Amino acid sequence: MYLHFPLYQPIHFHQMFFIKRYKSAIMLILIISALQTSAQQAEDLHQRVQQHSEAIFNDLVEVRRDLHRYPEVSGKEEKTSAKVADYLKDLGLEVHTNIGGYGVVGILQGGKPGKRIAWRADMDAMPSEEPDVVDFASEIEGVRHICGHDVHTAVGLGIANVLSQLKQELQGTVYFIFQPSEENYEGAKAMINNGLFKKIDPQEIYGLHISPWPAGTVATKSGSVYSHLNSLKITFKNEGKKDALIEDIKEMVSGFQNVEADSKFWDFRNLEDPEAGLESPATVFTNFLTVSENFNIRESAENITMSTLINTSDKKLMDSLPGKVRQKILESPYSSLLEEVVYTYEKITVNNDEELTFKTLELLADIYGKESVVPVYGVVPQGRGDDFAYFQQEVPGVYYFLGGANYESGVISMPHAPDFNVDEESIKFGVEFFSSVLVDRLILR
Ligand SMILES: [Zn+2]
């Protein structure tokens, strides 16, 4: 048996200890320099994102104006989708068309393997007879982009362009989903039913909607950003005495509404109110449950059914209502007539992943300044929504409101308003903000 060291244990251990300490010091230096490199690399990448976004901005404005001149309603986005497919092919992406109607998917493979992330933009316009308010007015009679999907499409193409230029550095794959038929809430579902997630398998998904916040800002929150809208149906045995029953049950169900009649909640303009609006911690657009006054009454020889729409800020409130209504009826003189209390319709709504919302907003604040991120506390009421919700049922993700307004020049980008208009600077902000988000999710996390 040969020993390098004499059998003199204390020295042996001391030497080992010294070597270990020396090794950990080297490791620490290596880790610190790796962190510095990745911090430097991150800064470089986000700078390149901003340079590329700036460089393509004028072209993107032209792309958007062309889409604006030739709008197509839900299900008819033939020319729009062809323009999108051409643009993506020119960037060198793998392009799939006609998914769930005129849906298009562009696949950008990064230079190295890694995560798979999707970006979604919607493409459809809306019927509108009102005159356009811009120089590049719609040339299609009765159709206009008054929901800003022309801007969403331009931003989606811009992000694809910027990320193509960073392709070698990208670790992973980005899927660009251009969705038809958002306005009728059908396109996302149609794309999924037509095998979208068999062609692509994203681990995260992101998308945006233009909104009346100022250009240069992004707003969102985790969980719901749009309210939940369900149809509640109550069925009774028909044993005569129906007038009293209908009146009493209407009153009882309406009693679950928790918004006062004189509340600022009822005026949509208050969404932006500094005290009552969405971005105030004291917002009136939270913890709400409203009951429509319009009850639909049906009567057959056997049954009387009463249906009404319920609008809530969160799913828990919504889910708890039928049980509460049932309980109250069972405690009333009508208990023996009650057959069932059920929801017959549920509009699924945007549901932002908590961790991804937090991380991406934190990143945006870091790179583009705290003032570019608007924290949201409230939920947009009255059944507005986005069928992006269907994608989020399959893949965790975040839906953002991109500021499009410019108050000084009177541009208030309220979707569906007849004088809808957008500050086109928001296109550049959208491209750089969300190229940075995707780069960060792909490379740096
Ligand atoms: Zn829209």
Side-chain angles (χ1 to χ4, degrees):
M1 192 184 214
Y2 180 79
L3 291 168
H4 270 298
F5 294 103
L7 284 172
Y8 187 48
Q9 299 287 348
I11 290 175
H12 184 158
F13 275 116
H14 180 75
Q15 283 174 330
M16 288 301 284
F17 182 62
F18 179 76
I19 290 166
K20 274 188 184 165
R21 275 222 306 210
Y22 182 65
K23 270 191 183 164
S24 33
I26 290 178
M27 282 306 287
L28 196 63
I29 291 167
L30 286 176
I31 289 169
I32 289 171
S33 71
L35 284 174
Q36 279 171 340
T37 317
S38 75
Q40 188 57 45
Q41 185 201 13
E43 209 180 304
D44 289 351
L45 281 168
H46 293 305
Q47 261 176 22
R48 284 168 67 191
V49 160
Q50 289 161 55
Q51 285 158 5
H52 292 318
S53 304
E54 187 70 49
I56 63 172
F57 175 53
N58 290 337
D59 287 345
L60 286 180
V61 167
E62 287 315 309
V63 168
R64 182 258 165 159
R65 290 184 178 188
D66 174 66
L67 296 169
H68 194 91
R69 280 191 190 96
Y70 304 102
E72 295 172 302
V73 294
S74 309
K76 310 268 186 216
E77 308 88 343
E78 186 178 1
K79 294 193 176 96
T80 307
S81 67
K83 289 170 192 173
V84 165
D86 285 347
Y87 191 102
L88 298 174
K89 280 180 201 156
D90 286 349
L91 293 175
L93 269 59
E94 175 188 329
V95 177
H96 300 261
T97 55
N98 298 318
I99 306 170
Y102 288 111
V104 179
V105 171
I107 302 177
L108 174 64
Q109 296 285 3
K112 296 158 203 160
K115 236 188 261 171
R116 304 176 304 277
I117 303 188
W119 178 265
R120 174 275 208 166
D122 45 9
M123 305 184 286
D124 52 330
M126 292 179 66
S128 170
E129 298 297 337
E130 300 287 327
D132 218 330
V133 294
V134 289
D135 300 340
F136 44 97
S138 167
E139 296 188 15
I140 310 295
E141 217 185 305
V143 185
R144 282 179 60 207
H145 269 296
I146 54 170
C147 203
H149 299 188
D150 49 345
V151 173
H152 305 169
T153 303
V155 169
L157 293 173
I159 299 171
N161 192 331
V162 168
L163 295 190
S164 297
Q165 299 183 61
L166 301 174
K167 190 179 151 115
Q168 287 319 313
E169 283 85 346
L170 290 188
Q171 295 167 12
T173 307
V174 191
Y175 306 115
F176 293 93
I177 302 171
F178 289 86
Q179 182 208 309
S181 301
E182 191 285 322
E183 290 296 346
N184 57 15
Y185 234 68
E186 288 177 2
K189 210 167 32 174
M191 288 189 83
I192 294 168
N193 291 342
N194 199 201
L196 175 70
F197 291 126
K198 294 196 178 79
K199 286 192 171 63
I200 63 173
D201 57 343
Q203 296 157 298
E204 297 171 17
I205 187 163
Y206 301 92
L208 61 77
H209 205 293
I210 206 81
S211 74
W213 274 287
T217 62
V218 172
T220 198
K221 65 187 269 294
S222 66
S224 314
V225 291
Y226 293 116
S227 65
H228 297 254
L229 188 75
N230 282 18
S231 177
L232 182 76
K233 187 174 98 174
I234 310 169
T235 308
F236 295 95
K237 289 182 199 110
N238 190 354
E239 291 183 4
K241 305 179 282 183
K242 80 170 182 183
D243 291 348
L245 177 138
I246 289 169
E247 278 321 299
D248 289 351
I249 298 301
K250 260 191 196 179
E251 200 183 320
M252 178 193 290
V253 177
S254 302
F256 284 98
Q257 179 161 295
N258 66 5
V259 185
E260 301 299 323
D262 60 352
S263 169
K264 286 188 165 185
F265 174 88
W266 300 108
D267 188 341
F268 234 55
R269 286 171 296 184
N270 289 322
L271 285 170
E272 292 168 68
D273 185 279
E275 292 298 314
L278 295 177
E279 58 189 277
S280 161
T283 180
V284 297
F285 299 99
T286 186
N287 296 320
F288 61 80
L289 187 156
T290 69
V291 180
S292 168
E293 292 170 0
N294 300 319
F295 281 76
N296 186 343
I297 315 287
R298 283 172 189 241
E299 192 184 349
S300 70
E302 292 82 34
N303 296 114
I304 295 169
T305 62
M306 302 177 65
S307 300
T308 189
L309 287 175
I310 309 295
N311 184 40
T312 67
S313 54
D314 65 81
K315 197 163 157 41
K316 271 192 199 144
L317 264 178
M318 188 63 96
D319 290 347
S320 66
L321 184 69
K324 289 180 190 164
V325 169
R326 190 180 301 116
Q327 189 55 39
K328 202 132 195 207
I329 296 173
L330 290 177
E331 290 162 8
S332 80
Y334 304 107
S335 68
S336 62
L337 299 180
L338 181 65
E339 291 206 333
E340 62 172 6
V341 184
V342 289
Y343 286 130
T344 52
Y345 167 80
E346 180 186 351
K347 183 173 186 174
I348 77 153
T349 191
V350 167
N351 182 20
N352 287 335
D353 181 87
E354 193 174 344
E355 189 190 341
L356 297 179
T357 304
F358 176 77
K359 282 188 173 167
T360 56
L361 289 184
E362 187 185 47
L363 169 90
L364 287 166
D366 268 3
I367 301 173
Y368 294 100
K370 279 200 171 70
E371 63 287 356
S372 59
V373 174
V374 181
V376 172
Y377 298 92
V379 171
V380 180
Q382 302 306 348
R384 291 212 172 193
D386 194 308
D387 71 351
F388 182 73
Y390 285 101
F391 295 130
Q392 285 180 313
Q393 273 193 330
E394 312 280 329
V395 183
V398 189
Y399 176 88
Y400 306 87
F401 294 113
L402 178 69
N406 185 327
Y407 302 141
E408 288 88 56
S409 30
V411 174
I412 309 293
S413 40
M414 177 59 90
H416 297 199
D419 60 350
F420 176 83
N421 195 0
V422 171
D423 180 344
E424 287 177 317
E425 286 285 317
S426 64
I427 296 172
K428 191 186 74 195
F429 289 119
V431 172
E432 60 183 16
F433 288 172
F434 295 106
S435 296
S436 279
V437 164
L438 296 181
V439 161
D440 181 81
R441 297 301 306 160
L442 279 175
I443 299 179
L444 306 164
R445 304 268 169 173

